[in-house]
Amino acid sequence: AGLVVVMEGNPAKLHTFLASSGAPQWQQVISGFGTSVAIDPSGNIYALTLNDCKVYRYDQNGDQIGTVWNNHVSTCSGTSLAIDSLGFAYIGDESQRRILRYDQSGTVVTWADGGFEKPTAIDIDRASGLLYILDEDMSGVRQYSTSDGSTPLDELEWGGPREGLFHNTRGATALSVRPDGNWVVGGQLFSGGN
């Protein structure tokens, strides 16, 4: 039974509904201001809070999984969250202009630092292992390989108005990778990162 998950911001609250009927299932109140939600390949639900980059994990029944992953690094403003096929959580940190990564045990590292202005949205193509990062203020999308789940490989592609690779995405705040490998930014469809 597929679930639709909705994150309410303040106070942070997860709401779940059956995808087939829209019937409410369960809800969880979370400490902090909720900003993003993601689902791993097993159907577990991850919720991110803004001012501390805490990640809460729940199974499909609404039971909390393990302890809260807590950011023990410097100031963080988590605005976006994505989960790869290995269970690593990637977080866009707007205040420090970086991407954080939690491993399966909740250990956090700075995964990609610098060069971002406002990493607003993140999504992963699990089939290819490519991580897409929408940088709202730089009007473009960056693409990284996450195949080993450790450090980012070379930046594969950067598109923005300066290079003319992609349409201007300035002001876009949403990014989604579709199962066919194409991705959508601000209502515009892009083909496989090209």
Side-chain angles (χ1 to χ4, degrees), residues 1 13 15 17 37-38 53 58 63 74 86 97 105 113 117 134-136 146 152 154 158 184 186 191:
K13 189 183 293 185
H15 300 272
F17 305 88
V37 64
C53 289
Y58 299 93
D63 297 322
S74 62
L86 300 173
R97 300 176 179 179
S105 69
D113 198 4
E117 290 296 321
L134 171 65
D135 193 324
E136 180 182 355
T146 63
D154 290 335
W158 163 248
V184 178
S191 177

Side-chain angles (χ1 to χ4, degrees), residues 48-159:
L48 175 66
T49 57
L50 176 67
N51 296 325
D52 50 15
C53 289
K54 288 183 180 175
V55 176
Y56 296 79
R57 299 170 295 144
Y58 299 93
D59 65 20
Q60 293 183 20
N61 298 315
D63 297 322
Q64 188 168 338
I65 300 171
T67 59
V68 175
W69 291 350
N70 191 4
N71 169 32
H72 294 289
V73 294
S74 62
T75 305
C76 183
S77 180
T79 57
S80 53
L81 171 68
I83 311 299
D84 72 11
S85 61
L86 300 173
F88 291 100
Y90 297 85
I91 297 170
D93 176 3
E94 285 188 4
S95 67
Q96 301 299 312
R97 300 176 179 179
R98 64 184 173 187
I99 307 300
L100 298 175
R101 189 207 73 200
Y102 284 100
D103 66 17
Q104 299 91 334
S105 69
T107 302
V108 65
V109 297
T110 299
W111 188 77
D113 198 4
F116 297 102
E117 290 296 321
K118 191 174 182 183
T120 304
I122 301 175
D123 204 0
I124 293 178
D125 179 351
R126 290 192 184 123
S128 68
L130 295 176
L131 176 74
Y132 293 88
I133 303 167
L134 171 65
D135 193 324
E136 180 182 355
D137 285 354
M138 293 188 78
S139 305
V141 175
R142 293 180 186 210
Q143 181 186 62
Y144 292 93
S145 173
T146 63
S147 59
D148 67 354
S150 60
T151 58
L153 301 178
D154 290 335
E155 188 176 304
L156 299 177
E157 202 161 318
W158 163 248

